[in-house]
Amino acid sequence: KETVIVQRRCLRAARAIEAGEVLSREMIDVLRPATPGAIMPQEIDRVLGLKAAKSIEKGQELRWTMLED
């Protein structure tokens, strides 16, 4: 019997993002695994146009606490 493990995806930084930068689609990857509290892919439209509240490393999952209007 096979066991299938479902891994959800989340939004991650496609490159290093500096504090104050406005997020664009090119800055965001949709990758596995999704860690608890990470922003899900279906929310990408809400993320675009927001600013990074702090510096975000390449590959780091995006969280609402990292973003501001």
Side-chain angles (χ1 to χ4, degrees):
K1 181 177 176 182
E2 283 188 42
T3 302
V4 177
I5 298 174
V6 176
Q7 290 188 343
R8 294 178 186 238
R9 297 174 187 263
C10 70
L11 301 183
R12 293 183 177 269
R15 64 166 178 83
I17 301 170
E18 297 298 321
E21 278 193 89
V22 176
L23 272 68
S24 66
R25 182 62 186 92
E26 295 75 28
M27 297 177 178
I28 302 170
D29 280 334
V30 178
L31 299 171
R32 292 183 186 110
T35 56
I39 302 174
M40 297 291 113
Q42 62 268 26
E43 298 183 283
I44 195 167
D45 287 338
R46 291 180 55 203
V47 171
L48 298 177
L50 295 179
K51 289 182 186 176
K54 63 178 203 162
S55 294
I56 303 169
E57 294 179 20
K58 179 180 178 179
Q60 187 174 6
E61 74 276 355
L62 300 181
R63 298 175 179 272
W64 292 114
T65 57
M66 299 173 166
L67 307 175
E68 60 189 14
D69 289 328

